[in-house]
Amino acid sequence: MKQVKPILLTIIILLAFCIGAYAANLEIETDEAGNQGKLKTETFTFNEGALPANQEGRIAYSADSLFVSDASVWNSFSGGKTIATKIVAASNSLRTSGGVNPQADYTCGGTADQVEIQQAIDSLGSNGGAVYLLEGTYIISAAIVFNAGDSNKALIGTGAGTVLRLFTGSANINIIYASSADNLLISRLALDGNSQTGIGNSGIKFQYGANDCIINNVYAENFNRYGIHFDQSDNGSITSSTVNLNVVGILIEDGGAGLAVTGNSITNNNVSLNTETGISITRSNGGIVKNTIISGNSVNGNAGYGIRIDSNGSTGDNVPNNMIIGNSLDANLAGIMSNGTYALISNNNIQSSSLGIFIGTGGEYAVVSDNSISSGSDRGITIGGLGSSTISGNVISGSYSNAGIWIGANADNNIINSNRVDNQGVGVAINIVAGAVDNYIAGNFLTGDIKIKDLGTGTKYTGKEKITLEAVTNDTGVIWATNPVSYVRLDQDGNWEIKNGKSTGDILILESITNNALINDTDANLELSASQHKLDVGDTLKLIWNGTDWIELSYSDN
């Protein structure tokens, strides 16, 4: 009832207009007995069924809507035209009849429907605007194109009910293609690759400076190349979309030598069941891809990596500073791979992948933290790159045949700390292979047949399994608790003063690298087995702090 009153009021006003303008054509129908009946005018009619024939200026009321004719199309007063600049109808949209839809500016015929959609986009002009696609299936045999001059335009549908389906047998078509057009919005569309028909087809491709564009609430499925593809496009956003059953789900890559792609985000999407990689950030053409945020996505059942950052054989600084945060990955062949420098991989949940997280060749200065990795089969976390990465606070559980954490040859200077590794198989919790140098292992909780296997060189430990003390050379004659050390090399002759310890249980090992370094029992905080120990080159003295005094544990005159 709330909608009837405004419509009736509009009708009354229009009736008054029609009576004044077309009084000569106004009739009151009467029956054979002379009784007055229906109001009739050539200008205005009520219809309960289909609209009458078009006649310019004619007004009709039908199906709870008010229409005016421009001689070729019935245009709705009460329809949805206020929600878009141009409206396009499919051949099977509601109210499409005889090739015409009274709600639409353009009606497609069911073949090469990109023609009418393109006309609507082109008609918007240089100031931007929106094209709204009504529900229905649109058959696409060539790209819908946004070029220079098409910035600030939007292509919007009704959701899963607006289907843009690739024509059977198509080749090398991007259903939606943009080049040099900024600030585009593609939303609420279902792009259908028609069961991967033809060759080289993709859903959406933004290229060559199509910057600051948004893709949201889009379905891009069944393409034999890419679901969504950014090539030399910056600061774009792909969000809340479903990108399944393609070869590669989402690809962001550089556009060429010396060109940098930066600032794109891929958030809250479902990217699953693609035959290769789910989400790929790739340096393909000699440029740089950086500062990408991949966050909150559900990435499942892809036949390759779920998420991949790939320098493509070049150095990792060509794919730097990319972030993979808070994603859920399940049943991919492998979880996350990064070959880039300064990658942040954090708070992801990875299940049922042979490899959980893989830092590959070129991967340097990565931070891998607070991830949950479970039910894997080969390795939980692999550091196979150049090293200098931090692996911290991860929880790894499962039956890993190789290792929970695997540090490869040439993976040097890594920090592995505060991880929980529960390897339920016959493998190793932490495996450091030959050729790995100067890694630091601290404070991990480890279970497995072998907790740590270390074939590397110079590995340092702080943990229940082993403690490695780093020697500090001192030539001042005084050892201060404010400079916390446990292993001091004395490089000065004469008497040494040892200040109080910081905490009960502190260990202090003194090694002389000179002759005649003197430690005296007469000092108030020392309890030695002799009144004085004279340390020459190679001699050692081991002490422990009991809260009051340094107590001698051992003395070695070497």
Side-chain angles (χ1 to χ4, degrees), residues 216-252:
N216 68 20
N217 293 289
V218 164
Y219 297 82
E221 299 180 302
N222 292 300
F223 291 94
N224 56 23
R225 199 172 186 194
Y226 311 120
I228 299 174
H229 182 192
F230 281 10
D231 180 359
Q232 192 54 42
S233 296
D234 297 338
N235 303 315
S237 172
I238 303 169
T239 184
S240 301
S241 295
T242 299
V243 190
N244 297 341
L245 299 166
N246 309 286
V247 173
V248 173
I250 297 173
L251 171 65
I252 296 179

Side-chain angles (χ1 to χ4, degrees), residues 78-103:
S78 54
K81 280 200 168 185
T82 56
I83 63 174
T85 308
K86 296 293 181 182
I87 297 176
V88 180
S91 61
N92 61 344
S93 293
L94 184 66
R95 296 186 180 175
T96 296
S97 177
V100 176
N101 189 305
Q103 286 186 297

Side-chain angles (χ1 to χ4, degrees), residues 361-423:
T361 303
E364 194 173 13
Y365 302 107
V367 174
V368 180
S369 67
D370 301 303
N371 300 283
S372 174
I373 304 170
S374 61
S375 303
S377 58
D378 189 354
R379 305 171 193 163
I381 296 176
T382 301
I383 307 175
L386 299 176
S388 300
S389 295
T390 299
I391 314 299
S392 178
N394 302 283
V395 177
I396 303 169
S397 63
S399 298
Y400 296 94
S401 61
N402 202 320
I405 297 176
W406 191 88
I407 303 174
N410 303 315
D412 305 334
N413 302 302
N414 299 286
I415 298 173
I416 316 296
N417 75 290
S418 303
N419 301 284
R420 182 183 182 108
V421 183
D422 182 8
N423 193 352

Side-chain angles (χ1 to χ4, degrees), residues 303-333:
Y305 279 97
I307 300 173
R308 179 171 182 164
I309 299 174
D310 192 359
S311 60
N312 205 16
S314 69
T315 58
D317 54 6
N318 288 308
V319 280
N321 302 104
N322 295 292
M323 293 177 281
I324 304 173
I325 304 171
N327 302 280
S328 175
L329 299 95
D330 186 19
N332 303 284
L333 177 63

Side-chain angles (χ1 to χ4, degrees), residues 147-179:
N147 280 321
D150 287 326
S151 295
N152 307 313
K153 293 183 179 181
L155 184 62
I156 304 170
T158 65
T162 299
V163 179
L164 279 64
R165 178 170 295 151
L166 200 64
F167 179 70
T168 300
S170 297
N172 302 313
I173 291 175
N174 305 289
I175 285 186
I176 298 173
Y177 176 81
S179 174

